[in-house]
Amino acid sequence: MEIEVGSIILAPGYEIFQPQIQSEYGYKRFSNVVTSLEFERILSASGPYRGEVKRPSDRKTPKRIAWIQCIGSRDTAVGNTYCSSVCCMYATKQVILAKDHDSELEATIFHNDIRAFGKGFERYYERAKNTPGVRYIWSKVSILRELPGTKNVVIRFRRNSTDTELSEEEFDLVVLSVGLTSSANIRELADKLSIELNQYGFCNSYPLSPIETSRAGIYVSGVFHAPKDIPDSVTMASGAASLSAQLLSERRGTLVTEKEYPPERDVTGESPRVGVFVCRCGTNIARGVDVPRVIRYARSLDNVVHAEENIFSCSIDATTQLCETIKEKGLNRVVVAACTPRTHEPVFQETLREAGLNPYLFEMANIREQCSLVHAKDKMAATRKAQDIVRMAVAKARLIKPLKQLSMGVNRSALVIGGGVSGMVSTLSLAEQGFETHLVERSEALGGIARRIHHTLEGEDIQTYLQDLITRVYKNPAIQVYTEASITEVAGYVGNFTTKVTVGAEKIVKEIAHGVTIIAAGAEEFKPTEYLYGKDSRVLTLLELEAEMTSGSERITQCNTLVIIQCVGSRDSERPYCSRVCCGQAIKNALKLKEINPEIEIYLLYRDMRTYAFKEDYYQKAAEQEVKFIRYDIDDKPEVEVIQEKGQAILRVSVTEPILGQRLVIDTDMLALGVAIVPPTDNKELSQLFKVPLNEDGFFLEAHMKLRPVDFATDGIFMCGLAHSPKFIDESSAQAQAAASRAATTLAKDFVTAEGIVCSVNENICSGCGVCELVCPYKAIQVDKERKVAKVNEALCKGCGSCGAACPSGVISMNHFKDEQILAQIEALMA
Amino acid sequence: MSPDKFEPLIVGFLCNWCSYAGADLAGTARIQYPSNIRIIRVMCSGRVDPLFITKVLRTGFDGVLVSGCHPGECHYQTGNYRARRRLAITKKFLEYIGIEPQRIQASWISASEGAKFAEVVNEVTQGVREIGPNKLFAEEGNGIKTTGGS
Ligand SMILES: Cc1cc2nc3c(=O)[nH]c(=O)nc-3n(C[C@H](O)[C@H](O)[C@H](O)COP(=O)(O)OP(=O)(O)OC[C@H]3O[C@@H](n4cnc5c(N)ncnc54)[C@H](O)[C@@H]3O)c2cc1C
Ligand code: SF4
Ligand code: SF4
Ligand code: SF4
Ligand code: FES
């Protein structure tokens, strides 16, 4: 078969590292040694033990499980020196899930550095670490033997780094946290397509735009680029779609066939025929809630003509079946008892349309996030609550009505906030796809933090890259740049926003009409107060060090000793997140300094070196060049003081050396701090203007970490770069492509459909008092002066329901959240 | 669960954009809290009509929670302010007819405050448990409850 295409996206993924039978880990020789992938199956509802945690030898519940990290990763012996990036976190997740199954479980993780560098990961790791019965032990291990009777496995390790003796301990089950490797036959594909691979068989793409391979028109996403997790893979995939769209923008839509839906069945006059579908969500719901019981219960409710359970209600199989069942049983109301409507309602509404039902004849019962997951310790109570929730949903379902959705035109231009690398890459991507784009930058110049970064760990020249971006932005006729600009007012919604911006020193007010918004407002360097920063001029941040290195200051060329302290302002109680880039940044600067002055002594004081993926090789290189790595504990931080000796003020750093357990004292010429990346203080204002949320750390919060990593829950608003979370420049650039891609899916449409949830007025009883007019924030309801009754403009109404709650005559009814529907939910509860 | 221990039943009205999302987050983070609450989703806390509050208490439930976005963060600009004001008036009225004020609680919970949601449910449940069952409307013959929580 021959297919003609304009561009190719490569996402061939990876293979899991296979420990050899003769390897030291006893894999396949000892029955209770499994890979993490096999353990993932053991945890799964559709797995070998139907979701119960058992071990292979005797099908008993293991009471002591050990995880061994970095199997097949960071290992010169097997040739994979890189870090697989994901195993630390998947092991941590497995620990939490296994503890959920069995709170008595003793879980032990034998690890090297723990690489919890992604958004929200540090918190997750801390939580696992602080769970009773969980031990994280930093130690190399060897698997000694299998005990003949019990088939338990004995592991030898060092309990504390200072121990001279090795300990031995018995485990019921051992999980090998295996790494990710490139696929065996990938070279063949690479040769056919003439693209380059790196030494490990992953795709060698353009370093600062990692989605572009060495061949124009061919793009890469996912682990084939480098080991990465789901959110980063999804992000990169969106980005790849964007680059293809840029290339093929002229032909956009030419081969598309519109999806056709069957005509909507008219259900007026029919009595309610409710179908209830209860999801097990693998084990997520089924473990906490007695699903068959909820089904039986649902069958007993009035108007319920059908009830069934699904393993995953949202799977393609289940929704296809749902569509059939609706038609077969003549359902005219559907209740799905599963997860949250905030993420999954659209999936099922789509199925209703395919089955010829109006999408609003649907109600979701949230028995996962708001029941099984939060009452996991009391299955009876959770089951009772699930029954109540289903009963409420059915009560409301009986009364819901089909709704019309208005189509509205789309303003095909975009607003991008923040002119750093992320903002500029998004802007260029949209402009190159033919969409007019407005770029709003608060400061006088474009570039953001990258203006202070000169090269990357991999050696790329950032200033040249940045100048090129800036030039392309200014030259593109579809781009309007506003500097010294600040956003003062935002109105509208997806497809039709109007934003007011004051521009320049003169504060000229501009009004920008746009269909979508991308927030790329970036982040800032943390200014610490500890370690004498700001008090002694020899103490500086890594970025400040980089600036001096680039200017070739004398201090640098004459520096004989440098100490670097990592995690300053990160991973503590105030900022319990990892800033992701500082480990790489420290290695980068250390290597550069060694280049400038090979004699320099560098001490790098760290907590975990988080040089994930191929950055690991640079960590090794630094170690080979005798950068001295000294691990410290957060409870025993390094101390910095100035000592007066022989008329000199000596900068002295002391730290506990972890192997000898003794205090090490270093007199140093300079001290560099790997400081945190912090969100700008005015993120709050931006979040309020656009009504989009921030997370606990002050970064913007995405709609769904894995499924919608660059979208906000509000339609038509997207995010990328440091605004989302700390990340390297290449990652920011890929995410910026992704945000552009998501934004373009809206801009490419002729129409957006407005939410059908709007209000309506019973004109016969309306007294025309105008209270509704006063409360409506959108001027969507106004009293008709002649007829003295309130009228709703459905295109403007956002469906908040404020007017309905305020109307003294009770004549405003809020579609889908009508008084009688909510009252029915309340009444149902006491049934 | 001992049969004579009073387990209150509480109805929570949560706005879709902040508090309901916060409750979802408590779920994905698996933060445990008492199962005494039943949640009704509304698009905005401004949708919560005094009628609903009265209905909940007249039906014999023991407490009601109204939760929306933080000040300035309402998805619809000002719905949460209106909700607050209206709730205060409703509360006064219900107090006047003999409902203990602790039965009616309001909070601001954002989409990222899963732990706070769990905390609020804990507090409200505990508070209502302390003042005991809502008997005010019992003679109307409505106070039939079956379920209750943990
Ligand atoms: C301390 C530190 C060290 C780093 N070290 C490295 C490194 O060594 N290697 C590496 O690859 N990456 C590093 N990074 C990350 C890298 O800088 C970013 O990934 C990259 O520059 C992309 O940033 P951005 O465009 O998302 O944000 P920024 O560069 O922060 O750009 C955001 C822009 O938005 C503007 N803005 C903010 N708020 C508003 C508003 N309300 N209205 C209008 N405009 C607004 C700002 O003025 C700024 O110009 C580092 C980052 C930091 C903070
Ligand atoms: S350090 Fe890297 S390779 Fe080792 S377990 Fe963690 S993520 Fe995997
Ligand atoms: S130095 Fe930065 S990247 Fe490294 S562990 Fe600390 S916070 Fe994370
Ligand atoms: S529901 Fe909200 S947006 Fe619609 S008319 Fe009423 S107050 Fe205005
Ligand atoms: S949307 Fe949350 S209170 Fe209005």
Side-chain angles (χ1 to χ4, degrees):
Chain A
M1 197 163 78
E2 226 168 76
I3 310 173
E4 228 173 275
V5 297
S7 125
I8 299 174
I9 295 174
L10 299 176
Y14 62 98
E15 275 167 21
I16 215 75
F17 176 77
Q18 277 297 326
Q20 294 301 304
I21 310 241
Q22 66 277 19
S23 81
E24 69 253 59
Y25 300 111
Y27 180 63
K28 296 263 188 218
R29 280 182 290 130
F30 304 157
S31 48
N32 292 322
V33 175
V34 298
T35 66
S36 46
L37 194 64
E38 287 160 347
F39 190 68
E40 198 75 24
R41 291 301 301 150
I42 291 180
L43 285 168
S44 163
S46 54
Y49 314 124
R50 306 186 132 259
E52 280 182 60
V53 179
K54 294 182 180 169
R55 63 177 199 163
S57 72
D58 50 12
R59 313 272 146 111
K60 282 197 183 134
T61 306
K63 288 286 165 203
R64 296 163 300 184
I65 307 182
W67 279 259
I68 304 178
Q69 296 305 106
C70 298
I71 305 284
S73 305
R74 306 179 65 184
D75 184 350
T76 30
V78 298
N80 297 343
T81 51
Y82 58 87
C83 159
S84 294
S85 304
V86 298
C87 353
C88 284
M89 286 324 284
Y90 76 54
T92 300
K93 176 203 71 178
Q94 290 184 344
V95 166
I96 290 195
L97 290 180
K99 285 289 286 184
D100 263 2
H101 275 263
D102 175 7
S103 56
E104 304 288 296
L105 173 75
E106 286 172 33
T108 310
I109 301 88
F110 295 106
H111 63 90
N112 193 343
D113 312 82
I114 286 288
R115 296 193 162 159
F117 55 84
K119 191 176 186 180
F121 289 1
E122 183 71 20
R123 270 196 166 79
Y124 196 70
Y125 162 49
E126 280 296 320
R127 192 174 131 212
K129 215 166 55 173
N130 296 326
T131 305
V134 175
R135 292 181 296 172
Y136 277 80
I137 297 177
W138 193 311
S139 171
K140 288 205 168 121
V141 298
S142 44
I143 290 199
L144 289 183
R145 58 186 176 272
E146 178 181 69
L147 297 176
T150 57
K151 300 262 179 196
N152 287 350
V153 182
V154 180
I155 292 185
R156 177 188 282 168
F157 62 99
R158 208 178 292 280
R159 233 169 253 283
N160 290 299
S161 60
T162 46
D163 287 1
T164 42
E165 302 281 302
L166 292 170
S167 306
E168 285 183 15
E169 219 174 282
E170 213 179 302
F171 292 91
D172 303 338
L173 181 67
V174 173
V175 181
L176 304 178
S177 292
V178 289
L180 314 183
T181 67
S182 62
S183 322
N185 45 14
I186 203 67
R187 209 156 283 280
E188 205 181 311
L189 180 72
D191 287 346
K192 261 188 212 145
L193 298 171
S194 310
I195 55 157
E196 285 168 25
L197 299 181
N198 72 9
Q199 66 196 102
Y200 306 112
F202 291 84
C203 184
N204 219 356
S205 59
Y206 177 57
L208 291 170
S209 180
I211 300 169
E212 297 179 60
T213 67
S214 51
R215 186 164 171 199
I218 303 187
Y219 305 107
V220 56
S221 78
V223 176
F224 181 42
H225 162 254
K228 58 172 61 64
D229 63 5
I230 296 176
D232 286 355
S233 298
V234 172
T235 301
M236 205 171 178
S238 286
S242 194
L243 280 157
S244 298
Q246 250 164 273
L247 194 69
L248 307 176
S249 64
E250 274 163 30
R251 306 208 34 187
R252 181 190 286 283
T254 49
L255 292 173
V256 174
T257 43
E258 284 286 327
K259 180 163 181 178
E260 299 233 6
Y261 295 97
E264 231 170 77
R265 189 156 72 81
D266 183 5
V267 301
T268 37
E270 290 179 18
S271 67
R273 294 178 58 80
V274 186
V276 178
F277 299 80
V278 184
C279 182
R280 300 179 67 88
C281 193
T283 57
N284 284 316
I285 292 173
R287 197 181 321 128
V289 164
D290 183 346
V291 171
R293 195 181 172 124
V294 176
I295 302 278
R296 284 198 299 278
Y297 179 75
R299 288 202 181 107
S300 75
L301 297 169
D302 286 350
N303 301 103
V304 172
V305 296
H306 177 80
E308 69 173 60
E309 70 172 53
N310 307 121
I311 294 187
F312 291 103
S313 296
C314 59
S315 66
I316 291 286
D317 286 353
T319 50
T320 315
Q321 185 54 45
L322 172 59
C323 183
E324 287 313 306
T325 311
I326 292 173
K327 290 190 257 180
E328 219 171 86
K329 309 264 171 189
L331 304 180
N332 56 22
R333 303 287 189 287
V334 176
V335 170
V336 173
C339 52
T340 170
R342 296 184 75 257
T343 55
H344 280 64
E345 197 170 51
V347 177
F348 299 112
Q349 287 188 318
E350 174 78 11
T351 309
L352 262 70
R353 291 184 70 189
E354 286 161 4
L357 278 185
N358 182 280
Y360 288 92
L361 294 171
F362 176 74
E363 184 63 21
M364 234 172 144
N366 184 339
I367 59 166
R368 184 179 183 271
E369 280 81 353
Q370 298 184 3
C371 189
S372 73
L373 298 182
V374 288
H375 312 308
K377 303 212 162 68
D378 189 347
K379 191 163 180 171
M380 239 170 56
T383 305
R384 251 182 288 129
K385 177 166 169 181
Q387 290 176 344
D388 284 0
I389 296 173
V390 168
R391 190 168 65 242
M392 285 163 80
V394 170
K396 179 167 175 186
R398 284 189 203 112
L399 299 173
I400 50 185
K401 301 233 153 63
L403 298 179
K404 264 198 336 275
Q405 286 176 296
L406 283 183
S407 278
M408 284 184 289
V410 174
N411 181 321
R412 294 190 164 188
S413 63
L415 175 73
V416 177
I417 301 164
V421 166
S422 307
M424 287 194 286
V425 170
S426 284
T427 300
L428 280 166
S429 175
L430 286 170
E432 279 164 25
Q433 292 179 57
F435 303 114
E436 186 187 2
T437 305
H438 304 267
L439 178 59
V440 175
E441 166 57 46
R442 181 175 51 190
S443 68
E444 314 82 68
L446 298 179
I449 288 276
R451 290 156 65 92
R452 298 175 61 196
I453 299 170
H454 297 274
H455 55 98
T456 63
L457 180 57
E458 295 79 8
E460 295 304 310
D461 174 355
I462 294 303
Q463 291 313 306
T464 310
Y465 168 71
L466 203 56
Q467 278 319 312
D468 173 59
L469 275 184
I470 295 174
T471 313
R472 278 166 57 209
V473 164
Y474 276 110
K475 277 200 175 150
N476 194 313
I479 298 174
Q480 287 287 330
V481 180
Y482 309 85
T483 48
E484 289 180 84
S486 66
I487 293 180
T488 52
E489 238 181 273
V490 181
Y493 39 84
V494 56
N496 297 283
F497 290 100
T498 321
T499 299
K500 276 196 189 147
V501 185
T502 59
V503 186
E506 307 82 41
K507 302 224 178 296
I508 300 162
V509 179
K510 295 245 178 215
E511 204 175 84
I512 303 172
H514 53 110
V516 295
T517 309
I518 295 178
I519 296 185
E524 290 162 8
E525 181 187 38
F526 174 63
K527 296 286 176 203
T529 49
E530 53 183 343
Y531 302 129
L532 299 182
Y533 180 81
K535 298 189 189 80
D536 188 302
S537 63
R538 288 166 292 185
V539 183
L540 56 181
T541 68
L542 281 175
L543 275 186
E544 290 161 354
L545 178 73
E546 188 164 338
E548 289 212 19
M549 281 161 55
T550 315
S551 68
S553 89
E554 219 166 85
R555 281 218 285 190
I556 296 288
T557 45
Q558 300 190 348
C559 177
N560 295 318
T561 311
L562 169 76
V563 177
I564 304 177
I565 302 177
Q566 291 294 87
C567 295
V568 179
S570 302
R571 304 179 61 195
D572 56 14
S573 53
E574 200 179 327
R575 261 172 246 91
Y577 62 87
C578 164
S579 295
R580 187 166 177 148
V581 304
C582 7
C583 279
Q585 204 191 357
I587 299 278
K588 165 184 96 175
N589 289 332
L591 287 172
K592 196 81 183 175
L593 282 168
K594 283 277 184 186
E595 227 173 76
I596 298 172
N597 172 13
E599 302 302 313
I600 189 171
E601 290 243 33
I602 301 179
Y603 296 85
L604 206 154
L605 280 37
Y606 70 103
R607 288 173 58 197
D608 292 271
M609 280 314 290
R610 293 186 166 169
T611 41
Y612 54 94
F614 307 126
K615 297 181 180 26
E616 179 68 11
D617 286 344
Y618 296 91
Y619 175 24
Q620 288 317 319
K621 189 168 163 199
E624 278 156 26
Q625 300 198 3
E626 286 175 9
V627 171
K628 297 187 183 60
F629 289 89
I630 300 164
R631 180 154 57 89
Y632 76 88
D633 197 88
I634 179 132
D635 300 321
D636 181 17
K637 283 190 180 179
E639 280 164 13
V640 178
E641 57 195 335
V642 174
I643 303 288
Q644 298 296 336
E645 243 176 58
K646 298 183 200 126
Q648 276 187 322
I650 294 174
L651 186 60
R652 177 167 292 173
V653 181
S654 52
V655 62
T656 307
E657 206 287 331
I659 295 165
L660 303 169
Q662 286 164 358
R663 210 70 185 156
L664 181 73
V665 176
I666 312 158
D667 290 346
T668 186
D669 298 322
M670 290 174 91
L671 168 63
L673 306 177
V675 297
I677 295 183
V678 294
T681 41
D682 58 357
N683 262 8
K684 187 102 197 156
E685 281 164 40
L686 215 48
S687 114
Q688 294 187 346
L689 279 166
F690 282 95
K691 305 295 169 201
V692 291
L694 299 174
N695 73 4
E696 292 158 289
D697 302 319
F699 294 96
F700 285 95
L701 179 67
E702 61 274 36
H704 190 287
M705 189 184 148
K706 292 194 182 112
L707 304 175
R708 294 172 66 195
V710 300
D711 300 16
F712 283 101
T714 307
D715 287 341
I717 312 181
F718 309 90
M719 74 187 90
C720 60
L722 300 181
H724 164 273
S725 68
K727 57 180 65 66
F728 286 93
I729 293 178
D730 55 338
E731 297 167 329
S732 284
S733 145
Q735 201 178 32
Q737 300 282 8
S741 170
R742 299 289 301 142
T745 56
T746 300
L747 294 180
K749 287 182 192 154
D750 294 324
F751 295 100
V752 282
T753 42
E755 186 53 85
I757 302 177
V758 293
C759 68
S760 60
V761 178
N762 183 340
E763 295 185 0
N764 296 331
I765 343 182
C766 173
S767 68
C769 72
V771 169
C772 51
E773 197 175 314
L774 292 174
V775 302
C776 177
Y778 303 99
K779 303 190 175 60
I781 191 162
Q782 256 153 354
V783 176
D784 184 324
K785 298 227 166 51
E786 271 157 37
R787 297 178 49 224
K788 292 263 185 316
V789 290
K791 279 213 110 31
V792 181
N793 179 340
E794 293 185 359
L796 294 180
C797 173
K798 304 305 293 162
C800 66
S802 287
C803 55
C807 173
S809 320
V811 300
I812 302 178
S813 114
M814 191 60 246
N815 285 344
H816 218 60
F817 292 88
K818 287 180 189 290
D819 285 359
E820 63 263 32
Q821 294 166 350
I822 293 178
L823 293 174
Q825 283 177 287
I826 301 172
E827 271 164 25
L829 260 181
M830 70 167 205
Chain B
M1 176 173 92
S2 74
D4 40 38
K5 191 171 151 223
F6 166 57
E7 283 300 342
L9 198 51
I10 290 148
V11 177
F13 293 96
L14 309 187
C15 84
N16 179 63
W17 300 95
C18 291
S19 297
Y20 194 90
D24 280 345
L25 185 64
T28 40
R30 297 176 151 81
I31 305 169
Q32 306 297 304
Y33 57 81
S35 63
N36 305 55
I37 189 160
R38 302 291 179 269
I39 290 164
I40 293 180
R41 181 171 71 115
V42 287
M43 291 315 277
C44 175
S45 65
R47 170 69 186 107
V48 180
D49 198 308
L51 179 68
F52 304 162
I53 313 280
T54 322
K55 175 78 179 183
V56 166
L57 294 167
R58 284 191 58 145
T59 309
F61 294 101
D62 306 298
V64 61
L65 169 71
V66 177
S67 187
C69 312
H70 283 266
E73 290 174 10
C74 168
H75 194 76
Y76 309 97
Q77 327 283 355
T78 49
N80 49 358
Y81 290 122
R82 297 191 189 288
R84 273 283 158 129
R85 229 171 294 151
R86 218 175 286 128
L87 192 68
I89 299 170
T90 315
K91 206 166 160 171
K92 277 233 172 69
F93 164 72
L94 289 167
E95 249 182 272
Y96 178 72
I97 62 167
I99 291 275
E100 299 86 339
Q102 298 94 306
R103 295 201 191 278
I104 305 159
Q105 298 289 341
S107 64
W108 281 317
I109 296 168
S110 79
S112 64
E113 293 177 327
K116 179 168 176 197
F117 177 76
E119 216 173 278
V120 166
V121 176
N122 259 317
E123 280 166 18
V124 174
T125 310
Q126 198 44 40
V128 175
R129 187 178 282 136
E130 275 159 23
I131 55 174
N134 166 20
K135 295 207 178 97
L136 191 67
F137 299 104
E139 65 276 17
E140 287 181 22
N142 272 335
I144 332 151
K145 288 181 292 163
T146 50
T147 33
S150 53

